[in-house]
Amino acid sequence: GFLPLQGHIVPNWKVRWFVLLQDKLLYYKIEGGKKEPSPKGRILLDGCTITCPCLEYENRPLLIKLKTKTNTDYFLECCSREERDSWALDITGAIHAGHPVQVQELHRMKNSFKLLDNISLHDIVERMYDSSTGIKLTRNLDQGNRYKETFTGSALVDWLISNSFAVSRFEAVTLASMLMDENFIVPVGGRSTEATRSSDPSEKFLDDSTALYMFAENRKKNTSSKEEVQFNISELSGTIVKQGFLVKQGHKRKNWKVRKFVLRADPAFLHYYDPTKEENKPVGGFSLRGCLVSALEDNGVPAGVKGNVQGNLFKIITKNDIHYYIQASSKAERVQWIEAIKPLT
C-alpha cells in the first residue's frame, strides 16, 4: 500500500508504494499513475528494530520508525491508527518470523489495546471540552516556562475513570495514550515530553501529577481569518467515515498524485490532502450532495484520463459537473470506496 516516507539525503516526504516480503520491505515510485517496475529502495528486516507509535515529529502522529542493523532510520507515515497498527504488526511479524512465540505475544498485546466499540475518541474529546463537566484546565509552571490551559496526567486518568470511560487506571492510561497517538492531546514541559521517548508504549503517557498535557489545538492557534476558520470548521466537522491513500488525476496538468482522502458524513464531504506537506490542511475537497460515483472499466483508458494508469479507476462527478478521476490500489478497495461514498450523495 501507499505510505509517505521521509528521505535520507533531503529530509522531505515522498509517497511510495510499499510491498512487504518475508525478509525485506520494498518501496516503489509512482510515475504517471503507474508503479515503476523496479523498486526505488529496500529496507532489510534482518536485525531491524521497530518503534510504534513513534512521536518524534509533532505534526505526524501516526509514524512507524524502522532502524536497520546498520543504524539507518526509516520513518513511514500511515493514514490512521488502525492502519499504522496493522502495518506495524505485519512488519514485526516479518522481523521475528523465526520466533513464533514473540509474534503470538505481539498479537495478544495488540488485541488487548483495543478501544471499546461503544467509545469514540472524538466523543471523549468533546466531553473533555465541556465547560461544566469536562476536564479542568489550569495554568502551570514547568522548568521556567508558563503554560496556559493544561491538565496533568493523573487528572486526565481521574477524569476518564469518573466519567466511566475506563474502569481502572491501567485502562485510563491506555485510553490517554490513544488520545496522544491520535494527536488530540500533546505533552508539554520536560517530564511528559521526555516520557514520549520511551521505547515502551505503556510508558509514553504518565499517570503523574507533575506531567503536563494540553489539547493539541491549544498549542497551535489558527492564524487564519475568521471567515476562513468558519468555512473550514463547517466542512471538516463531519464524522470520518473512511480515509486512505488514493491516486488522483490533476485538473490542469492531468498528472497523477497520491493524496490522502478523508470521507466525512454530516456534512458529507470528500477532502484530499498532500501527505508530503507538514501542515494538515486539505488541498482540495467538495460536497458529495448530488454527486455521481461509478467504477470505470479496466480494459482501455477512458476518455478524460491521461497517462498509462495502473487500473482500478473510479470517477466522481459533482453537481457542478466537475469530474474527478481516482485510482484505488485494488479492485476490492475501489468497491469499498464507492460503497462508502454512494450513501452520502
Side-chain angles (χ1 to χ4, degrees):
F2 290 113
L3 295 172
L5 169 72
Q6 187 186 48
H8 285 104
I9 300 173
V10 180
N12 55 357
W13 295 83
K14 300 289 186 183
V15 180
R16 298 292 183 241
W17 175 260
F18 280 81
V19 177
L20 177 61
L21 303 180
Q22 187 173 6
D23 60 345
K24 55 183 163 290
L25 189 59
L26 305 178
Y27 52 94
Y28 296 79
K29 191 176 180 181
I30 301 293
E31 279 294 334
K34 191 172 184 180
K35 176 175 72 70
E36 291 189 341
S38 300
K40 182 77 175 175
R42 67 193 68 218
I43 304 171
L44 300 178
L45 298 178
D46 180 37
C48 200
T49 59
I50 182 169
T51 302
C52 177
C54 172
L55 303 176
E56 292 190 24
Y57 288 86
E58 179 185 317
N59 293 336
R60 295 179 182 270
L62 297 173
L63 288 180
I64 297 171
K65 178 182 177 181
L66 297 175
K67 181 185 282 290
T68 67
K69 65 180 180 181
T70 58
N71 287 324
T72 303
D73 291 340
Y74 292 88
F75 293 93
L76 319 177
E77 186 178 31
C78 299
C79 259
S80 64
R81 187 178 183 277
E82 292 74 20
E83 184 191 48
R84 182 199 61 194
D85 291 351
S86 177
W87 269 104
L89 188 70
D90 290 340
I91 293 170
T92 307
I95 292 172
H96 298 297
H99 306 279
V101 174
Q102 285 180 282
V103 177
Q104 289 176 5
E105 178 65 12
L106 286 162
H107 277 278
R108 188 192 67 76
M109 289 175 61
K110 177 175 182 285
N111 291 333
S112 69
F113 200 72
K114 280 185 177 178
L115 187 64
L116 296 175
D117 291 337
N118 62 338
I119 295 179
S120 158
L121 292 181
H122 290 274
D123 292 342
I124 293 173
V125 173
E126 282 188 15
R127 290 275 297 277
M128 288 173 67
Y129 270 113
D130 190 283
S131 57
S132 58
T133 61
I135 192 161
K136 303 305 178 188
L137 303 178
T138 59
R139 296 171 181 263
N140 279 285
L141 182 68
D142 185 278
Q143 297 182 345
N145 295 317
R146 293 186 180 278
Y147 298 100
K148 298 178 180 179
E149 301 179 318
T150 62
F151 47 87
T152 67
S154 57
L156 178 55
V157 169
D158 291 340
W159 185 88
L160 290 169
I161 293 173
S162 65
N163 284 272
S164 302
F165 290 118
V167 297
S168 68
R169 300 195 80 79
F170 174 78
E171 284 189 14
V173 167
T174 300
L175 200 49
S177 299
M178 290 181 175
L179 292 171
M180 196 163 65
D181 287 350
E182 295 295 340
N183 210 31
F184 286 115
I185 64 173
V186 291
V188 291
R191 182 102 167 79
S192 56
T193 303
E194 182 63 30
T196 63
R197 300 187 177 95
S198 171
S199 59
D200 186 347
S202 66
E203 297 178 359
K204 291 183 183 296
F205 179 87
L206 299 178
D207 179 6
D208 192 298
S209 60
T210 64
L212 301 180
Y213 300 87
M214 66 165 40
F215 292 112
E217 289 183 0
N218 289 353
R219 179 144 77 179
K220 298 177 229 175
K221 296 295 185 183
N222 198 323
T223 57
S224 305
S225 68
K226 187 175 180 181
E227 292 74 20
E228 184 181 350
V229 171
Q230 291 300 321
F231 173 76
N232 287 338
I233 287 174
S234 66
E235 282 195 13
L236 304 174
S237 62
T239 303
I240 294 178
V241 175
K242 186 174 179 60
Q243 55 187 332
F245 294 112
L246 299 168
V247 189
K248 173 187 166 294
Q249 180 178 261
H251 289 292
K252 295 180 181 178
R253 296 178 59 191
K254 305 297 182 186
N255 55 350
W256 292 87
K257 296 287 186 183
V258 178
R259 295 291 181 247
K260 174 185 174 181
F261 279 79
V262 178
L263 177 64
R264 293 181 173 89
D266 300 319
F269 273 84
L270 184 62
H271 291 96
Y272 48 94
Y273 300 71
D274 185 345
T276 67
K277 302 298 184 187
E278 289 296 330
E279 52 186 26
N280 189 32
K281 293 182 180 178
V283 294
F286 50 91
S287 169
L288 290 172
R289 295 302 179 195
C291 285
L292 298 174
V293 57
S294 60
L296 297 176
E297 296 300 327
D298 291 336
N299 51 347
V301 179
V305 174
K306 305 294 182 183
N308 186 18
V309 297
Q310 194 91 357
N312 307 312
L313 284 163
F314 63 98
K315 178 171 68 171
I316 301 175
I317 305 175
T318 69
K319 64 180 180 182
N320 297 327
D321 200 33
I322 299 174
H323 293 226
Y324 289 87
Y325 294 98
I326 302 168
Q327 281 190 78
S329 59
S330 66
K331 284 184 171 62
E333 187 182 48
R334 176 174 66 180
V335 169
Q336 291 169 7
W337 274 99
I338 291 174
E339 289 182 348
I341 292 170
K342 273 187 176 178
L344 302 177
T345 59

